[in-house]
Amino acid sequence: CKEYLDLLRSLAYDAALFERCIALMVPILLANDMNEQAHGTQLFTSLFHLCLSGTRAMIEQRLKVIELHLASPDEKRRTLGAKALGAALEAWQFQASATFDFGARSRDFGYWPHTNAEVHHWFTVTLELVTTFASSDTPAAAHARAALAERFRGLWHRGGVPEELAKVCAAMRQHRFWPEGWLAVRQTLDFDGKGMDPERLVQLKAIEAQLRPTDLLQKVRSVVFSTRLQGIDLDAYDEDDSTEDIGTRMARTEVLARDLGKTVASEEAALQELLPAMVSNEGRLWSFGQGLFDGAADALTMWNHLVTTLAAIDEPLRKPQVLLGFFHALHANNPALAATLLDNAMEHETLKGLYPYLQVAFDIGAQDVARLKRSLALTHAPAGMYIHLMYGRATDPIPAADVKELVLTIAAIPPCQYG
């Protein structure tokens, strides 16, 4: 039925037909690919944009649909609701996802605000819905928080709702810590603070100070488990920082992540709290893992903590980057123990499929080449894992004859064993 999506989107131009068209579009979308680039997803989300939406439905109608889906017990419907909410919060970039003609019927681009007051009303009522969900304990709360963080910068500059944004941020901070929100505010300050209107800059600095992480857990979740912003630190925003070389700022952030790892390793309660997130998140886990080694009272005990926690995570959700950082530091300080753990990893129930990834944590020597060959003979690791030998010139220390043997052995693995 997906060929009907364009027609339904065109019929949704009439406000009276909007909700009926959405009700027909959603089951089709749920039965097909819902990724951001899918044509159907783009058609659906465009109907919730402030401009170029192709519908005359007012914001109240659209928010009614968004609320219905965010409150759904079905995760896929909540995801659609989150996409629609993000589209309604868009204040910066609008792009048509389809044409606006409809046969001989006279059509325009749909609702289009003509005054600042109309723009203000649109975002004010949308932020009210965000506050309702983001400050709740419902499954949609994370969706709402993420949608606002993603659109914060555009809203700050083009939404005309600085006071409303401050209120939403205050409400969410009162309910819980909001790391993605703090990062979004810091991003706005770092990119646009220099030259911002002084009064607006003071407002934004006040929001940043309110959202800034204060304790160890919050700092780790903001700095270590973040891929959103490079060169972040925990100090108050300073206009002079925005002109600092990005390489210097990034290096300082990696040092901060390592220091946080060292602190966490020495605080048992924080370690136990963060362990599941360490092995299921991306971010600055390489430096953080090195810090865990630096602060560990016993390296083997810390390694066992990490591996045990990794095993408890559903396999598709596992992110072993922290193990790589830990292993790098371990090898630099105790190469014998690192070699023993790598030997064990090849037949370890949880680590055997990750062994090639762990092997590139440090420069490969003759002993490591022999281990790679033994791993291929065991066939425990999928062929796809050996792709990590491509990165960072990992194979440079390996003699050419051994590289040839490794490549041909990998190439000979039956397709069914590729991962």
Side-chain angles (χ1 to χ4, degrees):
C1 296
K2 62 183 178 181
E3 64 266 24
Y4 295 114
L5 288 172
D6 285 278
L7 174 61
L8 289 168
R9 181 257 186 189
S10 294
L11 290 172
Y13 174 84
D14 294 309
L17 300 177
F18 179 78
E19 291 171 57
R20 291 172 62 191
C21 289
I22 292 293
L24 289 169
M25 291 178 75
V26 167
I28 300 172
L29 292 169
L30 295 177
N32 288 279
D33 188 0
M34 285 171 45
N35 71 62
E36 295 290 340
Q37 303 306 316
H39 180 61
T41 302
Q42 292 181 345
L43 285 178
F44 175 79
T45 55
S46 70
L47 287 167
F48 297 88
H49 280 147
L50 172 64
C51 304
L52 296 176
S53 65
T55 178
R56 280 281 174 178
M58 300 305 290
I59 182 58
E60 287 76 11
Q61 280 182 272
R62 303 191 218 190
L63 291 180
K64 182 179 177 182
V65 170
I66 293 173
E67 183 175 8
L68 176 68
H69 287 80
L70 286 176
S72 171
D74 181 69
E75 173 61 23
K76 286 188 174 182
R77 287 181 179 271
R78 289 198 300 272
T79 299
L80 279 178
K83 292 180 186 297
L85 180 62
L89 290 168
E90 182 60 62
W92 219 329
Q93 298 179 357
F94 303 99
Q95 182 176 350
S97 59
T99 60
F100 298 92
D101 58 304
F102 193 58
R105 296 173 182 269
S106 178
R107 285 285 176 88
D108 55 23
F109 299 124
Y111 170 77
W112 200 285
H114 296 291
T115 65
N116 288 337
E118 291 183 19
V119 175
H120 182 272
H121 173 71
W122 176 285
F123 290 120
T124 297
V125 296
T126 304
L127 287 173
E128 288 174 358
L129 182 64
V130 170
T131 304
T132 299
F133 278 98
S135 300
S136 70
D137 294 314
T138 66
H143 288 304
R145 291 191 293 267
L148 180 55
E150 189 66 29
R151 302 301 192 282
F152 182 91
R153 188 179 172 210
L155 282 168
W156 183 258
H157 288 295
R158 300 286 297 277
V161 284
E163 288 78 16
E164 288 77 4
L165 278 170
K167 290 178 182 177
V168 175
C169 291
M172 283 196 273
R173 185 64 180 91
Q174 187 175 15
H175 182 71
R176 70 188 302 279
F177 177 59
W178 185 32
E180 60 266 45
W182 175 68
L183 289 167
V185 175
R186 280 304 298 256
Q187 181 184 58
T188 306
L189 283 168
D190 287 347
F191 289 172
D192 313 310
K194 203 171 185 66
M196 189 181 292
D197 176 79
E199 184 178 345
R200 296 289 299 281
L201 182 59
V202 169
Q203 284 180 299
L204 194 56
K205 281 183 174 181
I207 296 174
E208 188 275 332
Q210 186 178 52
L211 296 178
R212 192 182 307 154
T214 55
D215 62 33
L216 179 59
L217 296 180
Q218 292 177 3
K219 291 174 182 177
V220 171
R221 289 182 174 125
S222 301
V223 175
V224 178
F225 300 152
S226 169
T227 58
R228 182 183 179 90
L229 193 59
Q230 300 297 324
I232 194 71
D233 58 43
L234 295 168
D235 297 329
Y237 171 75
D238 186 338
E239 287 88 339
D240 294 335
D241 290 344
S242 60
T243 60
E244 189 178 35
D245 174 71
I246 186 61
T248 301
R249 294 174 62 189
M250 290 174 65
R252 190 168 65 243
T253 305
E254 295 300 330
V255 171
L256 174 58
R258 184 164 184 163
D259 289 342
L260 288 170
K262 184 175 181 179
T263 304
V264 168
S266 63
E267 298 194 14
E268 185 64 24
L271 177 64
Q272 294 303 321
E273 175 79 16
L274 292 169
L275 270 170
M278 289 181 202
V279 294
S280 59
N281 273 280
E282 296 180 342
R284 297 174 179 86
L285 276 303
W286 168 272
S287 297
F288 186 76
Q290 294 180 74
L292 287 177
F293 174 82
D294 295 339
D298 181 79
L300 183 57
T301 299
M302 180 63 73
W303 175 255
N304 289 335
H305 279 321
L306 293 170
V307 174
T308 301
T309 308
L310 183 71
I313 300 292
D314 289 343
E315 191 167 355
L317 303 178
R318 294 174 185 172
K319 306 287 185 182
Q321 186 183 359
V322 69
L323 276 73
L324 205 65
F326 184 92
F327 225 92
H328 178 79
L330 172 63
H331 181 266
N333 289 272
N334 191 341
L337 178 58
T340 299
L341 293 178
L342 275 180
D343 288 336
N344 295 338
M346 287 192 297
E347 299 194 57
H348 188 280
E349 186 62 33
T350 301
L351 299 179
K352 61 185 180 183
L354 296 172
Y355 158 71
Y357 178 76
L358 297 174
Q359 181 63 77
V360 299
F362 48 83
D363 290 341
I364 295 175
Q367 180 184 13
D368 305 307
V369 173
R371 189 183 296 109
L372 281 166
K373 293 178 181 179
R374 192 159 70 253
S375 171
L376 284 166
L378 290 170
T379 68
H380 291 324
M385 285 302 299
Y386 292 92
I387 196 171
H388 295 286
L389 294 172
M390 291 175 51
Y391 306 135
R393 307 186 68 90
T395 58
D396 278 7
I398 305 177
D402 289 318
V403 172
K404 176 182 177 181
E405 182 181 345
L406 290 170
V407 170
L408 291 177
T409 305
I410 294 169
I413 297 175
C416 63
Q417 293 183 29
Y418 276 75

